[in-house]
Amino acid sequence: MSLIVEGLTVEIDGTRVVDGVSFEVPSGGRVGIIGESGSGKSLTALAIMGLLPDGAVARGSIRWEGRELVGLSERERAPIRGREMAMIFQEPQTALNPIRRVGAQIVEAARIHHGLRGHRAAQLATELARDVGLPSPETIVSAYPHQLSGGQRQRVGIAAALAGQPSLIVADEPTTALDVTVQKGILDLLAGLVAGRDASLLFITHDLAVLAQIATHALVLDSGSVVESGEVDRLLSAPEHPVTRGLLRDAKATLWRPEGSS
Amino acid sequence: MSALARLWRIPLGRSALIVVAVIAATALVSLFWTPFDPRRADAYSAWAPPGWPHLLGTDGTGRDILSLIMAGARITVTVAIGAGLVATVIGVALAALGALTARPVRESVAVFVDILIAFPVLLIAMMIAAVWGGSLWVVIWSVGVGYGVNIARVARIELRRVNRADFVLAAQASGLTRSQILTRHLLPNAAPVFIVQLSWSMAAAVLAEAGLSYLGFGAPVTQPSWGLLLSEVQDYITVHPTSVLWPGIAITLTVLALNLLGDALREATDPTLSRGRRAQTHTPEVIA
């Protein structure tokens, strides 16, 4: 149950935006990809899910449980998505369909892949809503996304990712759009759920402070290439590359910014 | 709450729905019963004023106007539904092709739609009617195709907008295929646009049918139609003004009701726009 990425390259209209990225997410592992915006971290995640935008081409190798994913057709991809690997998105505001009830969106993957319908689907929706800590799970499943707060919506997104019982969860900046107080709750929840389900986690972020809370290993991306990788503890205590040091400085700045300075 | 229940709470929507329902019911009832035979001429009661037994009066050949209008509702309803169906099918198909396919395909579809839009619907309907004879089918197909491409043009942009939304990517990440995403996410989200356009197309179809019949290119003269009735009695407008009033009111009311229904439906089908009780059942916000 491991993901092995080797020499992954993504080109958009001839421009290389991800250049030879290699890493491994072992079974049950929690790996982070960190970098500034434009470093290619989101495209790496999308390439793994096979969700690259029109005009973007992935090359290299993405092996999932021994299967090569690069070059698979949409038809071959669809059964893998949601069931074997699922994704959590950055913007809980827009990642949910505004006109469908929360419960239906939570169980979508189970509906598609495990044929869950009717009463059993409703039961699973409530169960997952409870697992992700949504208030009054029995009634919230029949609410619409606009009736929920940002944090609640992200919990719905997490529940939806879990519905198909995937063994890999790709989270693309799932806490960036949330308040700092809400972030901590979501990160703890995600860590707990991933551990409880023996799933692996690939966590994308630009914030080393967030990364420190969720991942054990990480790779630092800059302009599409890996500049440093290793254990998160080591990256925090002894960063080698200037980009990593910059990220560490940013993370510290958010913690200890003195009053009045900019 | 269903969209219909929400529609009912919008005052204009409720009135429009009632008017449309009354017209549809009238068309149904006229199949079995009208106060008089709408085709029976009675020279002795020509130009009877509104009263008993001719509630809306009679025309120059003594036909009962109420019966004519009731029977005319059949054609109106048939054309509105027929042209609406044709327009929807064409609109959805062309919009989906023009929004979601590979670039060369969708761009040629867009050009094709633009070319079709350039054709004047009524003129083409008249040409077809002049060559092959007028019939309801000519009206239904010409209006259906004519407004279908209009729906396609507006809905294509809407589908492309919805297709860029994150939840479509999320649905793809959940393992939905393109066709599942189209039916479960894209079309329902674009539905308000389709519904408004459809409602307007039906109104336009009613108007086009009345216009074509008025000009003599619509349904054959043996079939009662509001437009035909209007053209028959208009010569006598100075002598018998009320006789012109009734078909005019029927046409105006139907077109107005369909237009208002479209607006109300747009509001009712969008849960984020709805007001009132739903807002009070808001789930309590907690720190997540």
Side-chain angles (χ1 to χ4, degrees):
Chain A
M1 296 290 204
S2 66
L3 177 79
I4 302 167
V5 176
E6 271 172 9
L8 176 69
T9 300
V10 177
E11 283 183 2
I12 297 180
D13 300 328
T15 317
R16 229 167 233 217
V17 281
V18 175
D19 194 0
V21 169
S22 303
F23 63 96
E24 186 180 342
V25 183
S27 180
R30 301 208 301 257
V31 175
I33 301 181
I34 187 164
E36 285 161 0
S37 54
S39 61
K41 54 191 195 303
S42 282
L43 282 167
T44 305
L46 290 174
I48 290 164
M49 293 297 296
L51 295 175
L52 286 173
D54 281 350
V57 187
R59 291 203 190 81
S61 162
I62 302 171
R63 273 206 311 283
W64 168 245
E65 294 176 17
R67 258 174 96 186
E68 180 58 56
L69 297 185
V70 173
L72 283 191
S73 68
E74 266 301 298
R75 193 180 292 266
E76 294 163 316
R77 273 283 193 172
I80 300 174
R81 290 190 201 121
R83 184 167 62 182
E84 296 179 30
M85 50 175 71
M87 189 158 177
I88 301 166
F89 290 85
Q90 177 173 350
E91 280 291 339
Q93 213 72 268
T94 52
L96 296 176
N97 187 337
I99 60 166
R100 294 187 67 207
R101 290 176 198 279
V102 164
Q105 305 200 47
I106 289 179
V107 294
E108 184 107 70
R111 212 188 99 89
I112 300 293
H113 298 300
H114 308 308
L116 220 57
R117 297 282 190 282
H119 178 66
R120 280 175 59 223
Q123 214 171 357
L124 179 69
T126 314
E127 233 168 74
L128 285 166
R130 188 175 292 122
D131 288 353
V132 296
L134 284 165
S136 46
E138 287 84 6
T139 50
I140 208 164
V141 290
S142 50
Y144 286 97
H146 72 272
Q147 298 171 315
L148 274 58
S149 69
Q152 289 173 342
R153 263 177 269 192
Q154 195 55 288
R155 283 170 193 262
V156 170
I158 293 172
L162 295 173
Q165 295 167 332
S167 26
L168 173 70
I169 290 171
V170 179
D172 184 7
E173 306 231 20
T175 58
T176 306
L178 304 175
D179 291 344
V180 179
T181 45
V182 180
Q183 277 190 10
K184 179 82 172 79
I186 295 283
L187 288 175
D188 289 346
L189 173 76
L190 200 54
L193 288 169
V194 168
R197 284 161 200 257
D198 287 328
S200 348
L201 177 70
L202 182 63
F203 194 96
I204 319 291
T205 183
H206 66 275
D207 190 344
L208 204 53
V210 168
L211 190 75
Q213 294 178 61
I214 189 105
T216 56
H217 291 71
L219 43 150
V220 183
L221 279 193
D222 184 51
S223 314
S225 312
V226 181
V227 292
E228 191 170 359
S229 65
E231 285 181 28
V232 172
D233 290 344
R234 211 265 304 153
L235 291 176
L236 287 170
S237 57
E240 281 165 13
H241 197 273
V243 172
T244 321
R245 279 190 218 131
L247 289 165
L248 186 61
R249 207 166 40 240
D250 292 346
K252 282 183 174 161
T254 54
L255 289 174
W256 298 302
R257 176 173 294 169
E259 299 260 330
S261 80
S262 58
Chain B
M1 189 183 317
S2 72
L4 201 65
R6 261 177 268 142
L7 178 69
W8 193 250
R9 287 216 320 276
I10 304 166
L12 271 179
R14 189 188 311 176
S15 325
L17 193 65
I18 290 171
V19 171
V20 171
V22 164
I23 292 161
T26 307
L28 268 183
V29 168
S30 79
L31 288 172
F32 311 105
W33 177 84
T34 49
F36 292 85
D37 183 343
R39 275 171 303 187
R40 203 194 66 187
D42 177 4
Y44 292 106
S45 53
W47 298 119
W52 187 260
H54 300 288
L55 288 180
L56 302 182
T58 58
D59 71 354
T61 54
R63 294 180 300 176
D64 181 53
I65 287 182
L66 178 62
S67 305
L68 277 169
I69 284 181
M70 283 179 72
R74 288 202 291 254
I75 285 188
T76 299
V77 170
T78 313
V79 166
I81 291 175
L85 278 179
V86 172
T88 306
V89 171
I90 288 176
V92 169
L94 285 179
L97 279 176
L100 310 170
T101 48
R103 193 185 206 120
V105 181
R106 64 171 193 252
E107 279 176 2
S108 32
V109 169
V111 171
F112 175 68
V113 165
D114 282 342
I115 290 172
L116 280 186
I117 284 173
F119 283 92
V121 173
L122 283 185
L123 281 183
I124 286 177
M126 279 195 262
M127 271 166 52
I128 296 171
V131 177
W132 288 290
S135 79
L136 273 192
W137 289 111
V138 174
V139 179
I140 287 172
W141 277 101
S142 49
V143 174
V145 173
Y147 286 93
V149 291
N150 272 305
I151 292 179
R153 185 173 58 169
V154 179
R156 186 178 82 95
I157 297 161
E158 179 68 4
L159 277 182
R160 281 190 69 70
R161 188 186 67 78
V162 179
N163 193 37
R164 276 196 298 270
D166 276 356
F167 64 80
V168 172
L169 198 63
Q172 222 179 334
S174 297
L176 269 73
T177 59
R178 293 306 296 171
S179 58
Q180 284 169 325
I181 288 174
L182 179 69
T183 52
R184 296 173 69 80
H185 290 280
L186 296 178
L187 287 181
N189 270 285
V193 168
F194 280 111
I195 289 169
V196 175
Q197 291 289 322
L198 170 65
S199 200
W200 287 343
S201 304
M202 288 170 92
V206 170
L207 215 50
E209 188 278 324
L212 286 170
S213 299
Y214 177 87
L215 296 169
F217 292 104
V221 283
T222 50
Q223 285 185 44
S225 148
W226 294 348
L228 192 61
L229 181 61
L230 197 60
S231 75
E232 283 167 356
V233 295
Q234 67 151 1
D235 292 342
Y236 309 96
I237 187 165
T238 48
V239 200
H240 305 287
T242 52
S243 55
V244 185
L245 212 56
W246 305 120
I249 287 175
I251 293 167
T252 311
L253 207 60
T254 311
V255 174
L256 186 66
L258 282 170
N259 276 332
L260 289 176
L261 187 65
D263 289 342
L265 271 170
R266 182 179 50 179
E267 201 179 321
T269 46
D270 187 349
T272 58
L273 275 181
S274 66
R275 321 158 284 197
R277 262 218 331 272
R278 283 168 41 78
Q280 289 157 23
T281 57
H282 210 286
T283 44
E285 298 221 350
V286 295
I287 293 174

